[in-house]
Amino acid sequence: MGDLLARPVGWVRRWDLWSQPHRVLVYVLAGELVAAVVLIAIALNHPSATRLDWIRLAFLAGCAIAHIDLTRGVERVRNITAGAGPSLDTKSVWSFAAVIILPPTMAAGMVILTHTWAWLRVWRGRRPLYRWVYSTATVLLGTQVAIAILASGPGPHHAIPTTLAGFGVVAAAAALRWLVNYTLVAGVIMVANPSIRAGQVLHTIDERILEIGAFGLGFVAAGAAVANPLLLIGVVLGLTAMHRGVLLPQLRIAASIDPKTGLHTVTWWHPIAEQALERAVALHTSLGLLMLDLDHFKRVNDTHGHMAGDHVLRAVAEAVQAEVRDHDIACRWGGEEFVVLLPDLANATELRTIAERVRCRIRTLIVAVPTDDGMNTIQNLTISIGAVLYPGTHPVPVDELLRIADVELYKAKNLGRDRVEISPARPAAIDSPAD
């Protein structure tokens, strides 16, 4: 019996939540407790759902799941570049639609469903679970505030408004739902990091406009679910297009692609890395950097010519992209050097696994290149990799992480090349590598 109890108790004790500062622990648990109490209260005090409610819930839930699955890769990348503050939550389209047309218990269920599915499909293993649970709690509280606002408005409850006053009430409900959620999430970030500036947790104007658009689409989804649920397919397609064409402006503004490799340039990559590190510091997540250098690349140029060298660089870049995760961000650092940003790592083992995967892939490359005598092949390529994992003893800037990764890269070269050397981030001075 003791062994049966020891396992779950040990599992609970290993939760990342308990490693947080006391003030964060109290803040998070208090928010989750309030959300649980509110959830129990509405479950006990509201009538059961009708058959029509269940049908509408099924359509909304199915579309929400499709939306999350279709956009999960883009969502990871967009979230990386969001900075330290709360990130835009497009799942609100479906939960807000449920607020308008479904009973409170079902509206709460939609929040739990969308957040659980997003955790399983997008963030499991990349984010501490306690933070995702707290985020769900804040949305639940915001949802109940929105329900209370709608209940106080004119016209029948759980129906699409048909008057200007009714539209105003829906707009007020959306605004307060966002305010409650945003305030609670921003609050825990600032409690966890008292030195963080308020400006770092505020959204840009573009993000606020997109949030308005998300709630607007939620209103449209509610209308579609009432009129003809099949119209919700158009909402899913619109959201997917919005993710790929609108929700990544920071990935397109001044985006610069290296013409030889197809990777991003370092000019574009560096501020993205700074934002990702800022977010890792604020949210206590891990982040890694890989610095890669193709071994003996000068021999390729000298033997086969610079055009052949360009083909090799392109093939290596494509191999790197193929072996890192879909939300990792690679750039050409210069010459035959590359750098990869790896946010949301589980630990140093995952960092090494990815680096070794890249190294092994390069060894298998067979690159067809043009020469004066026709097409030829280049193979037996190798790459040396220096890796660094944040956090170390305390936060360090991106340039320091790059410096440490560069030191590890030179260590790999000095130890015979075609290897991975990894170091934890540390603020202490590191001897410069030998020439």
Side-chain angles (χ1 to χ4, degrees):
M1 185 68 179
D3 290 340
L4 291 176
L5 292 175
R7 288 185 179 181
V9 169
W11 176 67
V12 170
R13 285 178 175 174
R14 290 193 296 272
W15 286 357
D16 292 333
L17 176 62
W18 312 123
S19 65
Q20 301 306 306
H22 180 72
R23 60 183 182 276
V24 176
L25 186 63
V26 171
Y27 192 103
V28 168
L29 291 179
E32 292 174 353
L33 178 61
V34 171
V37 170
V38 170
L39 194 59
I40 292 171
I42 64 172
L44 294 176
N45 293 294
H46 285 276
S48 58
T50 66
R51 181 173 178 274
L52 181 60
D53 290 331
W54 284 107
I55 292 173
R56 290 173 176 173
L57 176 65
F59 274 101
L60 288 175
C63 289
I65 288 171
H67 163 224
I68 291 168
D69 276 8
L70 287 171
T71 60
R72 60 179 182 159
V74 178
E75 184 66 14
R76 288 174 187 165
V77 177
R78 184 186 62 77
N79 195 263
I80 291 164
T81 64
S87 58
L88 172 61
D89 177 20
T90 56
K91 299 184 298 298
S92 60
V93 170
W94 309 107
S95 58
F96 189 63
V99 164
I100 297 173
I101 62 172
L102 296 179
T105 48
M106 285 190 162
M110 178 60 71
V111 172
I112 294 171
L113 170 68
T114 55
H115 278 69
T116 300
W117 190 257
W119 164 258
L120 293 173
R121 299 292 289 162
V122 181
W123 297 116
R124 184 173 59 176
R126 297 178 175 86
R127 293 287 174 80
L129 180 58
Y130 79 87
R131 230 175 29 240
W132 199 256
V133 173
Y134 176 77
S135 176
T136 304
T138 64
V139 176
L140 282 170
L141 290 173
T143 295
Q144 298 313 310
V145 170
I147 289 171
I149 297 298
L150 290 174
S152 66
H157 301 332
H158 319 316
I160 302 298
T162 57
T163 65
L164 187 60
F167 286 122
V169 172
V170 170
L176 285 174
R177 180 197 179 283
W178 171 83
L179 182 62
V180 170
N181 174 54
Y182 193 89
T183 300
L184 291 172
V185 175
V188 76
I189 291 174
M190 299 187 75
V191 167
N193 300 272
S195 61
I196 197 169
R197 301 188 305 275
Q200 291 177 275
V201 296
L202 295 177
H203 283 177
T204 66
I205 295 297
D206 287 343
E207 287 173 322
R208 292 193 184 101
I209 292 172
L210 289 171
E211 285 166 344
I212 294 171
F215 284 113
L217 280 174
F219 183 78
V220 171
V226 170
N228 182 351
L230 292 177
L231 296 175
L232 289 172
I233 297 173
V235 179
V236 174
L237 296 176
L239 274 172
T240 303
M242 188 172 73
H243 267 81
R244 298 186 180 279
V246 179
L247 287 182
L248 297 175
Q250 61 266 59
L251 298 183
R252 299 198 320 271
I253 295 174
S256 181
I257 301 298
D258 175 64
K260 288 186 178 180
T261 62
L263 299 179
H264 295 292
T265 63
V266 65
T267 304
W268 177 90
W269 180 92
H270 198 278
I272 297 298
E274 289 177 334
Q275 291 174 351
L277 179 59
E278 178 185 274
R279 190 170 186 82
V281 171
L283 302 181
H284 303 291
T285 57
S286 294
L287 175 146
L289 287 178
L290 300 180
M291 184 167 283
L292 312 92
D293 188 280
L294 196 57
D295 296 328
H296 305 299
F297 181 67
K298 187 175 183 297
R299 295 179 186 173
V300 173
N301 284 334
D302 291 346
T303 304
H304 301 282
H306 288 278
M307 186 174 292
D310 290 347
H311 279 73
V312 169
L313 288 177
R314 175 69 112 176
V316 169
E318 291 174 352
V320 170
Q321 285 281 66
E323 295 302 330
V324 299
R325 303 167 303 172
D326 56 4
H327 61 290
D328 296 331
I329 304 175
C331 78
R332 185 186 181 194
W333 191 250
E336 65 274 21
E337 285 190 329
F338 307 89
V339 174
V340 183
L341 171 72
L342 304 100
D344 297 315
L345 286 168
N347 47 43
T349 300
E350 184 180 16
L351 177 62
R352 179 174 290 279
T353 298
I354 296 171
E356 288 287 357
R357 206 161 60 211
V358 172
R359 185 185 67 82
C360 293
R361 176 67 173 267
I362 300 304
R363 289 176 61 92
T364 66
L365 285 180
I366 301 176
V367 185
V369 298
T371 67
D372 292 340
D373 300 323
M375 296 300 293
N376 199 352
T377 58
I378 296 176
Q379 52 188 329
N380 299 321
L381 296 166
T382 62
I383 199 165
S384 298
I385 304 175
V388 59
L389 178 69
Y390 170 84
T393 55
H394 62 66
V396 294
V398 169
D399 287 342
E400 177 66 7
L401 294 179
L402 288 166
R403 187 177 78 87
I404 296 171
D406 190 49
V407 170
E408 297 304 315
L409 171 62
Y410 274 86
K411 185 188 297 183
K413 286 188 170 292
N414 290 334
L415 290 174
R417 306 177 191 268
D418 187 24
R419 60 186 294 130
V420 175
E421 292 294 326
I422 181 172
S423 169
R426 55 190 185 277
I430 300 176
D431 295 334
S432 299
D435 293 334

